[in-house]
Amino acid sequence: PTPELLRADVIVVGGGAAGMMAALHASSRRVILLADRQVGRSGSTFLAQGGVAAALGPGDSPERHAEDTVRAADGLADPAVVRMVTREGPRRIHEILELGARFDRNGSGGLSLGREGAHSVRRIVHARGDATGAELARTLAEAVRRRETIRILEGFGAEAVLELDGTVLGLAATAPDGSPLLLAAPAVVLATGGLGHLFRRTTNPPEARGTGLALAARAGAELADLEMVQFHPTALADGSDPAPLLTEALRGEGAVLVDEEGRRVMAGVHPAGDLAPRDVVARTLWRLQSEGHRIFLDATAIGPALKRRFPTVSDLCRRRGLDPAVEPIPVAPAAHYHMGGIVVDSHGRSTVRGLWAVGEVACTGLHGANRLASNSLLEALVFGARAGDETASLLAAVPPEGEVRAARKKLAAAGVATGAGGRNRVAQELRDLLWESAGVERDAAGLRRGLERLDRLADHDPGSASVEVARWILRSALERRSSRGAHLRTDADPADDGLYRVVIRGGRVRRERPAWLRAAVAGRANVGV
Ligand SMILES: Cc1cc2nc3c(=O)[nH]c(=O)nc-3n(C[C@H](O)[C@H](O)[C@H](O)COP(=O)(O)OP(=O)(O)OC[C@H]3O[C@@H](n4cnc5c(N)ncnc54)[C@H](O)[C@@H]3O)c2cc1C
């Protein structure tokens, strides 16, 4: 049967912070906002705990926020993007407040600002203690539902970006009843989130499986740094999938990491002890666990205050029969955040005409090799707004139906399986394989073994987006031969300076140094002279 065709000026895929923000900012035009789950109650946005970083407090400034961000990024952040995002951050927070967000206040009525690891001052805006994501999602979802120009399609999976001669014409999607649907628009914004769920242990929900990356690459877009996956050290280890996060702020308030004998495991590892950088803590726990130890987060020192300060954490523990106020809680590292993604410019524009990418699926240059806590929601808001504004200002006409149908035929003719979307589950074997070969510690032999296992899996699942993305993660991790930020190679090549992006273009993986990185490297060399 001929699929139904809907028309819009802008199509946004993804019902998290980035997608909703893009839809709102594009809403002077006709927008279709499509998500495979419920808008505002899906993706990582809904689960985010700690908050949003923005330079709003006394003694803080965008410049200071930028310095902290660049330091965390381990040499791979684009300074111009960092400056832009930290400068626009406060404006976006005020916009969300005007939309009705109830962020926590201090005694004098101002915003209560929290402090997180590697931020030099208090700058984390939060809601109901540790339920920031849910409040942000509620606020944005109510706003998009109020806008008459935004048509919301929930339960619809994006299957392919439609493109002819390098220009995007729309999207192929699947309706909740499984029937195919075509969407015609001159602008498509991908906001499909991260890929943590491709790993056995993750804090990410099942919809975070990197389909946006496959969609973009199949339309010809460039991807970068897919190997850059941040692992969170303290996810609850009780077999839950996804593994609930036990926020870093618990350690900020006095919780400590211990082994099965009650020994402090971070003592002597790093001067900051339990508050060492995320990657250092994750590595330490990963190694201890491979030696057979069990690790616990002992937050009993916080005592009864824990319930008030961390209601989300208390609640998720209590539902599992655990009480962090009185007993140590089992924890382990888990895949948490993807720094790599679709390469975009400062407005979220990808390398393909008509295709934008915002939020976790994009690689903007803000996070480099390591994301600073609470900068990801900020990035989603800033880039969502920018991409929305830019797509709304386009004067392009809706592509004619004939061309859109021709683009879909081209896909079918090229044998591209459009099974990227929606409700497909990621094979457990794939999640095991990535965890074992591209987890916290990596080496060439393990990565190659992972690729071989993946080849066998691909035979059973041809055209699978998950298999495709997993292969790029493994190949990119092989290509980056030294450790940098979140990427740890136990067989690091000492001759490799690591100051490049691992770029995927047209199916090829290679190292490249964009202009801003060349400038940074030249700057360093000059300092040396
Ligand atoms: C437990 C947890 C806690 C976190 N805490 C914080 C924090 O405190 N501060 C912070 O800054 N960051 C935090 N992060 C990271 C942050 O939440 C995410 O990076 C951010 O929310 C990503 O937003 P997004 O809009 O890009 O994607 P998401 O919020 O993940 O939304 C993706 C959307 O795309 C949809 N989708 C995906 N694929 C398809 C498809 N093929 N077709 C149709 N729809 C699709 C999904 O259903 C979903 O609606 C946390 C992450 C986790 C998992």
Side-chain angles (χ1 to χ4, degrees), residues 13-19 34-38 42-52 116 156-159 191-194 203-205 207-209 211-212 215 245 336-337 358-361 371 373-378 380 420-422:
V13 185
L34 165 143
D36 57 2
R37 316 226 165 185
Q38 203 180 333
S42 54
S44 295
T45 299
F46 187 64
L47 299 177
Q49 296 181 355
V52 192
E116 281 182 351
F156 288 71
E159 300 283 340
T192 51
T203 59
N204 291 188
E207 54 273 31
R209 59 199 181 289
T211 55
L215 260 57
L245 186 69
H336 183 56
Y337 183 80
V358 292
E360 195 168 332
V361 75
R371 171 192 68 129
S374 291
N375 264 357
S376 37
L377 286 173
L378 176 69

Side-chain angles (χ1 to χ4, degrees), residues 9 77 122 154 165 182 198 236 238 240-241 267 276 299 301 358 373 395 448 450 458 487-488 516 525:
D9 297 308
R122 293 188 162 269
E154 290 171 305
D165 302 327
L182 294 181
L198 296 179
L236 183 66
D238 73 333
S240 300
D241 181 28
V358 292
L395 295 172
R448 289 211 183 87
H487 174 70
L488 173 66
W516 52 268

Side-chain angles (χ1 to χ4, degrees), residues 140-208:
L140 285 167
E142 285 178 8
V144 294
R145 287 183 203 284
R146 279 196 300 265
R147 275 314 138 88
E148 280 171 6
T149 47
I150 302 177
R151 178 168 180 187
I152 298 177
L153 299 179
E154 290 171 305
F156 288 71
E159 300 283 340
V161 172
L162 297 173
E163 156 275 329
L164 270 187
D165 302 327
T167 298
V168 166
L169 304 176
L171 194 77
T174 309
D177 65 1
S179 59
L181 179 72
L182 294 181
L183 306 172
V188 172
V189 183
L190 294 175
T192 51
L195 50 61
H197 218 77
L198 296 179
F199 289 79
R200 176 164 71 212
R201 277 189 53 74
T202 182
T203 59
N204 291 188
E207 54 273 31

Side-chain angles (χ1 to χ4, degrees), residues 40-76:
R41 293 188 77 86
S42 54
S44 295
T45 299
F46 187 64
L47 299 177
Q49 296 181 355
V52 192
L56 291 157
D60 200 3
S61 65
E63 292 72 29
R64 197 156 174 187
H65 186 182
E67 278 168 29
D68 291 345
T69 302
V70 166
R71 197 173 312 116
D74 204 7
L76 293 187

Side-chain angles (χ1 to χ4, degrees), residues 140-441:
L140 285 167
E142 285 178 8
V144 294
R145 287 183 203 284
R146 279 196 300 265
R147 275 314 138 88
E148 280 171 6
T149 47
I150 302 177
R151 178 168 180 187
I152 298 177
L153 299 179
E154 290 171 305
F156 288 71
E159 300 283 340
V161 172
L162 297 173
E163 156 275 329
L164 270 187
D165 302 327
T167 298
V168 166
L169 304 176
L171 194 77
T174 309
D177 65 1
S179 59
L181 179 72
L182 294 181
L183 306 172
V188 172
V189 183
L190 294 175
T192 51
L195 50 61
H197 218 77
L198 296 179
F199 289 79
R200 176 164 71 212
R201 277 189 53 74
T202 182
T203 59
N204 291 188
E207 54 273 31
R209 59 199 181 289
T211 55
L213 301 170
L215 260 57
R218 288 169 181 184
E222 191 175 303
L223 311 179
D225 290 348
L226 286 235
E227 74 285 8
M228 290 296 182
V229 178
Q230 186 176 75
F231 294 87
H232 199 290
T234 57
L236 183 66
D238 73 333
S240 300
D241 181 28
L245 186 69
L246 300 181
T247 166
E248 223 150 38
L250 286 160
R251 277 175 282 139
E253 301 292 331
V256 294
L257 288 158
V258 297
D259 68 9
E260 66 284 350
E261 306 272 335
R263 282 182 297 241
R264 298 275 300 269
V265 299
M266 290 308 296
V269 174
H270 188 277
D274 288 278
L275 286 171
R278 224 171 242 194
D279 51 335
V280 175
V281 182
R283 270 157 219 187
T284 308
L285 303 197
W286 174 274
R287 280 179 193 157
L288 286 168
Q289 287 184 319
S290 14
E291 291 163 13
H293 290 284
R294 283 176 302 134
I295 309 294
F296 299 84
L297 185 68
D298 184 346
T300 53
I302 307 176
L306 198 142
K307 205 171 152 203
R308 188 168 20 87
R309 173 68 182 84
F310 301 102
T312 304
V313 165
S314 294
D315 212 51
L316 64 87
C317 287
R318 215 185 31 248
R319 272 185 271 129
R320 293 165 170 84
L322 299 164
D323 184 355
V326 300
E327 62 189 321
I329 305 296
V331 293
H336 183 56
Y337 183 80
H338 194 215
M339 276 78 69
I342 302 165
V343 174
V344 294
D345 71 6
S346 61
H347 284 85
R349 206 185 260 263
S350 80
T351 55
V352 172
R353 196 176 323 137
L355 186 65
W356 282 255
V358 292
E360 195 168 332
V361 75
C363 183
T364 64
L366 176 69
H367 310 300
N370 220 347
R371 171 192 68 129
L372 190 58
S374 291
N375 264 357
S376 37
L377 286 173
L378 176 69
E379 181 191 54
L381 297 177
V382 168
F383 275 87
R386 288 185 147 237
D389 289 340
E390 193 175 73
T391 52
S393 69
L394 281 185
L395 295 172
V398 178
E401 176 164 353
E403 281 187 22
V404 177
R405 293 199 188 276
R408 179 168 183 268
K409 283 223 179 70
K410 184 186 100 170
L411 269 184
V416 177
T418 54
R423 295 145 298 270
N424 299 351
R425 288 194 62 80
V426 180
Q428 191 57 42
E429 162 70 7
L430 184 145
R431 300 182 67 195
D432 289 343
L433 165 173
L434 270 189
W435 183 251
E436 285 152 26
S437 52
V440 176
E441 289 189 328

